[in-house]
Amino acid sequence: MCTCIDFKTKDHYFGRNLDLEYRFNEKVIITPRNYPFELKNGSAIRTKYAMIGMASIKDSYPLYAEATNEKGLSMAGLYFPKNAHFCSEHKDKFNLCPYELIPYFLGLYATIAELRDILLNLNITDIPLTPDLPVAQLHWMISDDTECIIVEQMQDGLKIYDNPMGILTNNPPFGFHLANLNNYMNLTPDCPKNRFSSRLDLQQYGMGMGAIGLPGDTSPASRFVRASFTKFNSVCEDDEESSVTQFFHILDSVSVVKGTTLTKEGLLDLTTYSCCINTTRGIYYYKTYNNNQITAIRMTRREKCRKTLCIHELIDTQQIRYIN
């Protein structure tokens, strides 16, 4: 389970909670310009743009969960079990594997507008990176400074949705989440009015009662509604500290606390990390379940131009500031 959002103040921000029952040896990785990727379709690319994001590494190949390139184009893959359907290679289509989408699109393109024609002919294939690494069932949110889209490949084909919410969670498919919001149009951050009956003197007895009915569970549908309500009603100044702080507060509203959600196998599903990327400035902020302190990593000119991956190990031990 995961929740992804984009957010705009003076700068543009993109990030997510990664909710998982295990760790995948993730690190913050900067892929420089001109970095080579060999694709399973037989071709190869060298990145035009550097990118920063959270990834694990397999044989010098960064497997990004989410990333942003130096032009501000951002992309995240979220778990989409049973609905995701990946195919064999198709000779009349542009074939890419799921783990190739982020390095390919962010490595070569600056905006969603540049991608749309390519997406129309895309076929996401079921070829694993290596035999011991199964293909993850995913759908994707792609965002830039002006628009946001969702990419889902299912049994009945590839679907591309415009995403006015700038929110993505997991199952069901994205169309359901947009339609489901209609069930919550009565929610408000304002003080509620008595619509129950004019014959009854009903009174508000506490703040926040206008949002009674906002779902509080950790299901994907509920997190989509709650993240949307929180994001669209949030009030934030446009400086960097306020924007980053607000972004993490929105993610906190849908984070998964250890012990509150169990998988069918009885494993603990929890928010292993949360990230916020200033896509305008190329700064990756993160915190982990074990460390609430926000850590920031900049995509500097030197790192954009180096020959190898720049790898930052996570600070995953709680950082506490003692005053006395």
Side-chain angles (χ1 to χ4, degrees), residues 31-33 47-51 69-71 106-110:
T31 298
R33 301 166 186 160
T47 55
K48 180 178 179 181
Y49 304 117
M51 67 190 81
N69 72 13
E70 58 185 290
K71 294 298 183 179
L106 300 194
L108 298 181
Y109 298 96

Side-chain angles (χ1 to χ4, degrees), residues 19 80 84 116 146 198 222 249 268 281 286 295 304 307:
D19 309 328
F80 195 45
R116 286 193 179 270
T146 60
S198 60
S222 293
H249 279 307
L268 298 169
R281 305 186 194 183
Y286 76 88
T295 301
K304 293 175 187 177
K307 302 297 183 183

Side-chain angles (χ1 to χ4, degrees), residues 71-140:
K71 294 298 183 179
L73 184 65
S74 306
M75 189 168 181
L78 283 73
Y79 194 39
F80 195 45
K82 298 184 179 179
N83 279 311
H85 179 78
F86 304 139
C87 307
S88 301
E89 288 189 294
H90 193 297
K91 64 182 180 65
D92 296 324
K93 293 284 189 176
F94 179 57
N95 299 291
L96 285 177
C97 303
Y99 47 85
E100 294 174 336
L101 265 63
I102 290 179
Y104 184 87
F105 290 140
L106 300 194
L108 298 181
Y109 298 96
T111 65
I112 290 173
E114 295 177 10
L115 292 177
R116 286 193 179 270
D117 289 343
I118 297 168
L119 289 172
L120 292 175
N121 197 43
L122 177 66
N123 177 48
I124 306 175
T125 62
D126 57 2
I127 305 170
L129 179 64
T130 58
D132 63 330
L133 198 64
V135 174
Q137 295 181 296
L138 303 172
H139 59 174
W140 292 266

Side-chain angles (χ1 to χ4, degrees), residues 206-244:
M207 301 305 298
M209 293 177 63
I212 289 177
L214 181 67
D217 61 88
T218 60
S219 68
S222 293
R223 282 184 285 109
F224 190 96
V225 173
R226 196 160 67 256
S228 299
F229 180 84
T230 306
K231 171 186 168 178
F232 280 90
N233 287 294
S234 71
V235 176
C236 182
E237 296 76 19
D238 65 3
D239 62 280
E240 182 72 352
E241 290 77 14
S242 298
S243 300
V244 172

Side-chain angles (χ1 to χ4, degrees), residues 13-26:
Y13 300 85
F14 180 91
R16 59 105 61 85
N17 286 339
L18 191 133
D19 309 328
L20 207 58
E21 67 271 22
Y22 59 87
R23 304 299 291 269
F24 58 97
N25 198 26
E26 64 270 24

